[in-house]
Amino acid sequence: GQQVMQIPQYQHVQEGEDFTTYCNSSTTLSNIQWYKQRPGGHPVFLIQLVKSGEVKKQKRLTFQFGEAKKNSSLHITATQTTDVGTYFCAGNSNSGYALNFGKGTSLLVTP
Amino acid sequence: ETGVTQTPRHLVMGMTNKKSLKCEQHLGHNAMYWYKQSAKKPLELMFVYSLEERVENNSVPSRFSPECPNSSHLFLHLHTLQPEDSALYLCASSHPGKAYGYTFGSGTRLTVV
């Protein structure tokens, strides 16, 4: 079955440093979504990418979908303590109905 | 509030008990999902309902029984659970075809003793 893998599992940065998490799928995806879960909270939808090579930005967050539609990345510029949480990618293949989530990358930002 | 309401927020139950988790959404979504979130594991898809019909069941043990009486409500009936079933159970809803992603509820933190 389809698997979505994320690296790294954990990342600890100083406030102001950049952060990147990577997502890879074993199969071609029809779309990829990114979610953020704060400690003690629930996943919150951030963005969806659909097109090959697509790049989208939300303030300090940059999302990228690979040309082959099998990998994606989330880059945060100049992290802030409010960025703390676990970032999940989730992929949907053409044959699957629901999203398959990666294990997530837990980001810790220290002031 | 997320638009998806789950009750109860916390539940402690014995292995011989029967309980139900409830999920409710009034976002006009036509698909609803149950996910299990355990420590050090990815979000595990349990059940998918589309237009009140179950469309996916990911080899979930029969001690978990879903019910979707209408497009706004989803239940997860629990009986004779095991301690390893302790986890955060998340309900989500979506409108397939729209780029708004899933809306998750706050979850039910289940502890089986």
Side-chain angles (χ1 to χ4, degrees):
Chain A
Q2 178 198 332
Q3 289 189 338
V4 177
M5 289 148 287
Q6 254 184 284
I7 55 169
Q9 191 173 355
Y10 303 99
Q11 186 81 59
H12 183 182
V13 300
Q14 292 288 319
E15 191 171 25
E17 292 181 338
D18 292 355
F19 159 77
T20 305
T21 173
Y22 300 90
C23 182
N24 287 286
S25 170
S26 55
T27 59
T28 302
L29 301 169
S30 60
N31 66 76
I32 195 154
Q33 300 182 8
W34 286 90
Y35 292 77
K36 177 184 178 181
Q37 185 173 18
R38 293 181 188 274
H42 56 274
V44 175
F45 174 72
L46 295 177
I47 208 161
Q48 176 175 282
L49 304 171
V50 178
K51 299 177 184 175
S52 169
E54 189 170 12
V55 178
K56 287 189 176 180
K57 291 191 175 185
Q58 289 180 350
K59 298 183 180 177
R60 294 179 294 105
L61 277 62
T62 301
F63 304 84
Q64 190 164 3
F65 201 8
E67 293 290 340
K69 300 183 75 173
K70 295 179 75 172
N71 61 286
S72 181
S73 65
L74 158 58
H75 180 81
I76 303 178
T77 304
T79 54
Q80 300 174 359
T81 54
T82 52
D83 295 325
V84 166
T86 301
Y87 292 85
F88 294 95
C89 63
N92 199 316
S93 66
N94 287 326
S95 59
Y97 196 95
L99 290 174
N100 286 302
F101 282 79
K103 285 191 175 182
T105 296
S106 293
L107 173 64
L108 179 61
V109 181
T110 49
Chain B
E1 280 301 324
T2 73
V4 177
T5 303
Q6 285 188 248
T7 55
R9 292 293 300 272
H10 300 272
L11 177 63
V12 179
M13 61 185 287
M15 290 189 281
T16 57
N17 290 161
K18 287 185 181 181
K19 296 285 184 184
S20 295
L21 309 184
K22 180 182 176 182
C23 177
E24 185 173 351
Q25 61 91 9
H26 295 287
L27 301 170
H29 291 169
N30 56 15
M32 297 186 76
Y33 314 81
W34 280 115
Y35 279 87
K36 176 184 177 183
Q37 187 173 41
S38 308
K40 299 181 182 179
K41 283 189 176 181
L43 281 157
E44 299 173 67
L45 177 66
M46 299 177 74
F47 301 104
V48 181
Y49 276 85
S50 175
L51 297 171
E52 301 147 47
E53 189 175 325
R54 191 190 308 182
V55 294
E56 199 161 321
N57 174 355
N58 272 14
S59 303
V60 179
S62 59
R63 56 186 183 268
F64 295 91
S65 173
E67 179 190 0
C68 187
N70 55 62
S71 59
S72 298
H73 294 85
L74 185 65
F75 294 90
L76 188 63
H77 303 299
L78 317 171
H79 66 97
T80 58
L81 295 191
Q82 304 297 312
E84 60 264 29
D85 296 322
S86 298
L88 180 67
Y89 288 85
L90 289 160
C91 172
S93 68
S94 73
H95 192 122
K98 295 201 172 182
Y100 301 131
Y102 287 13
T103 302
F104 281 88
S106 299
T108 295
R109 174 68 62 185
L110 173 67
T111 304
V112 182
V113 298

